[in-house]
Amino acid sequence: VVLCWDTFNFTYAPGSQRCGILDRAFERYVKIIFDIDEAAARGECELESACTPELTVLDVSVKEPCEGAYPHLDSKENYHLTVSTDGGKGAQLKADSVWGALRA
């Protein structure tokens, strides 16, 4: 599976809790994953092969409201990640808390 910087997005699933901690993480992860600089931002992603599956979205769902700036001993950090293997362009991340989403 290939991620292209010009087509990939983190999104919140419908009904998901939204959280500033996760918003900032999305921004950080894009920079880390793609190591975008000004020169790269002018080009477009080129897939090596037409057969290479491209992932365009990670749809994130968080059940519980975002509370606190740091996890605590009772924080739920579980998550479930599903990546399509049938040619779909999306993946789903489901977590009980923001800490589980970050753990993924």
Side-chain angles (χ1 to χ4, degrees), residues 15-27:
S16 175
Q17 297 291 323
R18 294 176 180 262
C19 179
I21 293 170
L22 206 48
D23 292 336
R24 289 185 296 278
F26 290 166
E27 292 173 14

Side-chain angles (χ1 to χ4, degrees), residues 9-56:
N9 285 305
F10 290 98
T11 61
Y12 286 101
S16 175
Q17 297 291 323
R18 294 176 180 262
C19 179
I21 293 170
L22 206 48
D23 292 336
R24 289 185 296 278
F26 290 166
E27 292 173 14
R28 246 187 351 267
Y29 294 162
V30 166
K31 290 176 185 174
I32 291 168
I33 293 169
F34 300 110
D35 192 22
I36 296 174
D37 60 24
E38 192 173 321
R42 287 191 296 265
E44 291 185 9
C45 182
E46 296 179 19
L47 297 178
E48 293 179 14
S49 163
C51 298
T52 304
E54 179 185 5
L55 184 66
T56 59

Side-chain angles (χ1 to χ4, degrees), residues 11-23 26 59-67 93-99 101:
T11 61
Y12 286 101
S16 175
Q17 297 291 323
R18 294 176 180 262
C19 179
I21 293 170
L22 206 48
D23 292 336
F26 290 166
D59 206 24
V60 180
S61 176
V62 178
K63 288 183 186 178
E64 299 173 358
C66 186
E67 295 180 3
L93 172 62
K94 296 180 181 181
D96 287 337
S97 74
V98 65
W99 310 116

